Amino acid sequence: MKMKYLMTPVLLTLMSMQAMADDCSVTIDSTDTMKFDKSEIVIDKSCKEFTVNLTHSGKLAKNIMGHNVVITKAADARAVASDAIGAGLENQYVKPGDERVIAFTDIIGGGEKTSVTFSVDKLTAGEDYTFFCSFPGHISLMQGSVSIGS
Ligand code: CU
């Protein structure tokens, strides 16, 4: 079973989302055209920890077309993204110590990958959360919902 997860990203994508949910993880790809390949993350309520794997299937460097995944309450996303601009690439475009940020990955460029694992205790069922890229200007095209599923 373990070997199956070492298959190519294409095959991994073709595998059912249910299988990913059962693993308490999701893999999101990002591109040179400033897009994520998913618009929704549903975290199974049985998960204690959840992992977001981020890949970048483009070619552009991270200082030009860098992407990350930041998770906040939906209501906080715009303000967090705005405050992130001044943080710079050296802080992964997240304001240091920003308590509104539930989880975030490093910024990656084309061909790179990263991941973040966080405690599901930080999220409340019924609350609306957002995942987005905090690279300046990307939130408008790169965002989706995060919620606790049943
Ligand atoms: Cu981005």
Side-chain angles (χ1 to χ4, degrees), residues 129-149:
Y129 299 90
T130 296
F131 73 94
F132 63 93
C133 174
S134 66
F135 193 97
H138 288 200
I139 187 172
S140 56
L141 286 175
M142 303 185 77
Q143 61 170 293
S145 65
V146 182
S147 59
I148 304 283

Side-chain angles (χ1 to χ4, degrees), residues 41-45 120 123-127 129 146-150:
I41 298 174
V42 178
I43 299 173
D44 193 282
K45 70 179 180 189
V120 177
L123 286 80
T124 306
E127 179 88 47
Y129 299 90
V146 182
S147 59
I148 304 283
S150 52

Side-chain angles (χ1 to χ4, degrees), residues 2-15:
K2 185 89 178 164
M3 287 305 291
K4 287 189 175 174
Y5 292 93
L6 297 175
M7 290 189 299
T8 67
V10 172
L11 284 173
L12 201 57
T13 304
L14 292 175
M15 292 172 65

